[in-house]
Amino acid sequence: MNDDAAAESQKATPTIIPVDLGDRSYDIVIGRDTIETAGEEIAQRLPGARLAVVTDATVADLHLSTLTKSLDASGIEHVEIVVQPGEGSKSFATLESVIDDLLAARIERADAVLAFGGGVVGDLAGFAAGVVLRGVHLIQVPTTLLAQIDSSVGGKTGINTPRGKNLAGVFHQPDLVLADSGVLDSLPPRIFNAGYAEVAKYAMIRDAEFFDWLENNWRAVAAGWPERDEAIAIACGGKAEIVAEDEREKGQRALLNLGHTFGHALEAATGYSDRLLHGEGVAIGMVLAHEFSFRLGYCSQEEASRVAAHLIDVGLPTRIQDIRGDLPDAAALMRHIAQDKKVKRGKLTFILTRGIGQAFIADDVPGEAAEAFLKEKLDS
Ligand code: NAD
């Protein structure tokens, strides 16, 4: 085999990351062009199942025909349900319409919902799969970097309510996650980068070596195979490990919220709009979490600066001031934090860190310390 042929054959060999959850265990299959062979993977795992492919209009235009061609080639019966792109689809109204479409298609218990899109489609379709007929199979075929390394793995599904994000949902584990690193080529760079923030999050939580690797390889990750696939596999491995330890977020799974307490408050303050994507909020939140940890005496200034420097290199926002437009004051941001799920009997739960790769759960952070820190950051 010549070098080119060897590289092509390597490209065609997917990496498989198992998620170990007893009788609900499943595989994450990662590779370039895996949607072209999705039918074979699905037919092996769920023989005879019919599929309802839930996707959004953007992903449908770009990639749906490749996926359905593969389903057809494997003789898998399927219907398509297309929702509007964007966070607005994580609503009761869209959930109701998806469930109605599933019932109209006469979905049965042995059939499956296939979520084909970013985190919005994954969360919405996953919730529908979890509740229709009290639960049907779910296959996640995530098409954003964020969805491939985060939202499609671990079984959290849900929608937003007028009182906040992700406040209604169920845990519903997929039977298979199929991540095609090639579909990420069509992502706008801003959306790719927002997902990258969550890749870097795993490094910051418990993998300092991965952080070193990302500092050296982030450009190649953005460019494509093989580094992109490697980063997806390492990040998925990190998530799979944490989910296997604590499926229902009774303990260590909360580490995955690094950067999310501040990040969610900023997302809420900007109305979950295009002003700040989820991953961008997490990027700013992670820098704030490191700086707050420094302020509380846990982490060095150098480590906090290194995190910020890397995210700036990549092109992510890292300061509250990077968000355009007006923002509420520290007291109003604290009200968003207090409404978040990360509050237990009045004490704030933050994910803090002793340095890159050494995040920990602190469930007794005084609200006043967080508010004073935020005020200083808003004024600086
Ligand atoms: P998204 O689903 O809105 O996708 C972003 C945009 O990219 C959309 O406009 C979509 O149409 C488009 N898109 C998707 N794939 C594309 C492709 N291959 N090429 C071109 N465009 C493409 O957003 P997201 O960032 O993927 O996900 C964010 C959501 O994920 C949030 O609602 C967040 O709450 C949720 N989330 C859930 C979990 C979980 O554990 N369930 C974890 C993290 C985030």
Side-chain angles (χ1 to χ4, degrees), residues 56-59 62-63 85-87 90 117-123 143-147 150-153 155-158 160 165-166 183-188 191 194-195 198 239 253 260 264 267 278-279:
D56 75 26
T58 305
V59 177
L62 291 164
H63 301 293
E87 195 67 33
K90 278 178 56 173
V120 163
V121 165
D123 280 8
T143 63
T144 63
L145 180 57
L146 180 137
D150 194 359
S151 57
S152 65
V153 177
K156 276 194 188 177
T157 74
N160 306 324
K165 221 171 122 69
N166 298 328
V183 298
L184 305 185
D185 288 347
S186 61
L187 273 185
I191 297 177
E198 301 269 10
K239 178 136 189 191
R253 185 164 177 170
H260 284 59
H264 274 169
E267 272 188 277
H278 173 71

Side-chain angles (χ1 to χ4, degrees), residues 343-363:
V343 182
K344 259 191 213 148
R345 296 185 192 88
K347 288 281 189 189
L348 297 178
T349 299
F350 270 91
I351 309 307
L352 298 176
T353 183
R354 298 191 170 84
I356 293 166
Q358 300 176 63
F360 66 96
I361 303 164
D363 55 12

